[in-house]
Amino acid sequence: MIRVLLADDQSLVRAGFRALLDAQPDIEVAGEASDGEEAVRRVRELRPDVVLMDIRMPGLDGLAATRRISDDAGLAGVKVVMLTTFELDEYVFEALRSGASGFLVKDTEPEELLRAVRAVVEGDALLSPGVTRRLIAEFAARSKEPAAGDALGQLTEREREVMALVGIGLSNEEIARRLVVSPLTAKTHVSRTMVKLGARDRAQLVVLAYESGLVRPGWLG
């Protein structure tokens, strides 16, 4: 059973998400929060698998709340998905750096929301369904200068190659086709790379790909 915490200052939004999620046989809403402070408190209390976190909330906003959750080693298993009104919300870029596993626009189709919740538990979620790689390009343009030194020295050449492909937005299936390997092999390479770098999920792997200089803006083609 996937346990979800809903964090949004609008009770109507929370009610809509709750009705959809609770109707699924493999998902349950563990709790709700109306602001960032309450969200962090409820996450520590309930230890949900996924938090659907609104970016804009009164008091402590979703971005700061996400940072607190991702900085807490005891909450390493909690995945945060940011909720935003617009696909290219300026805060999305900072949200990924803060530890969010991805984001969804609030008016996403119900089946896409369900798919995303299930996917993020597996570490596969990154972007709101329907958002093109334009977002990654924008994120790349805003990324920090590459860190000094070889932060990826522990990776094999194949793992670097796979990480670069993740960085430009390819799925495991697309990576498999590009490298002429099976999807399972591609997924294994991605997983091993995440473990070696201590990445929480695929979203953080993208951040590391840009911030290490492995991938640079303009590589999307």
Side-chain angles (χ1 to χ4, degrees):
M1 183 69 72
I2 300 172
R3 302 173 68 250
V4 179
L5 178 74
L6 304 175
D8 195 294
D9 62 321
Q10 298 182 46
S11 57
L12 189 60
V13 171
R14 297 198 308 272
F17 282 149
R18 176 181 280 276
L20 173 64
L21 296 170
D22 275 343
Q24 308 307 307
D26 59 334
I27 302 174
E28 68 175 1
V29 175
E32 300 182 15
S34 59
D35 59 50
E37 291 282 3
E38 185 181 11
V40 174
R41 188 168 60 250
R42 295 288 277 167
V43 166
R44 288 173 176 158
E45 172 191 344
L46 300 171
R47 304 298 172 100
D49 299 300
V50 180
V51 182
L52 295 182
M53 179 88 74
D54 188 21
I55 286 183
R56 295 180 176 84
M57 291 187 289
L60 189 74
D61 64 18
L63 201 61
T66 297
R67 192 174 295 112
R68 287 191 189 180
I69 292 170
S70 63
D71 286 346
D72 188 333
L75 302 177
V78 179
K79 306 292 187 180
V80 178
V81 176
M82 307 302 296
L83 298 172
T84 179
T85 304
F86 304 104
E87 291 182 346
L88 292 181
D89 190 307
E90 62 180 303
Y91 293 108
V92 165
F93 312 106
E94 186 60 31
L96 293 177
R97 283 207 191 94
S98 298
S101 295
F103 76 98
L104 289 169
V105 288
K106 286 187 176 182
D107 62 353
T108 191
E109 292 296 321
E111 60 270 19
E112 296 289 6
L113 171 65
L114 297 173
R115 185 201 65 77
V117 168
R118 294 179 177 115
V120 77
V121 172
E122 300 298 323
D124 293 335
L126 172 59
L127 302 176
S128 177
V131 176
T132 67
R133 294 190 186 116
R134 179 170 54 125
L135 176 61
I136 298 182
E138 289 290 332
F139 172 69
R142 296 168 183 244
S143 66
K144 299 185 297 185
E145 287 298 312
D150 187 5
L152 310 181
Q154 58 189 311
L155 301 184
T156 65
E157 284 302 314
R158 176 45 62 93
E159 287 165 348
R160 284 172 178 253
E161 188 175 13
V162 167
M163 183 176 175
L165 294 176
V166 170
I168 63 172
L170 299 193
S171 67
N172 288 343
E173 290 73 20
E174 291 169 326
I175 292 172
R177 287 196 294 272
R178 180 75 66 91
L179 301 180
V180 194
V181 297
S182 72
L184 179 59
T185 297
K187 183 176 181 179
T188 298
H189 283 309
V190 172
S191 297
R192 286 177 179 170
T193 303
M194 287 169 55
V195 169
K196 286 185 178 181
L197 297 179
R200 289 167 61 98
D201 49 39
R202 200 180 187 94
Q204 191 175 11
L205 201 59
V206 171
V207 173
L208 293 173
Y210 285 108
E211 295 190 342
S212 67
L214 181 64
V215 177
R216 295 183 182 276
W219 283 18
L220 297 185

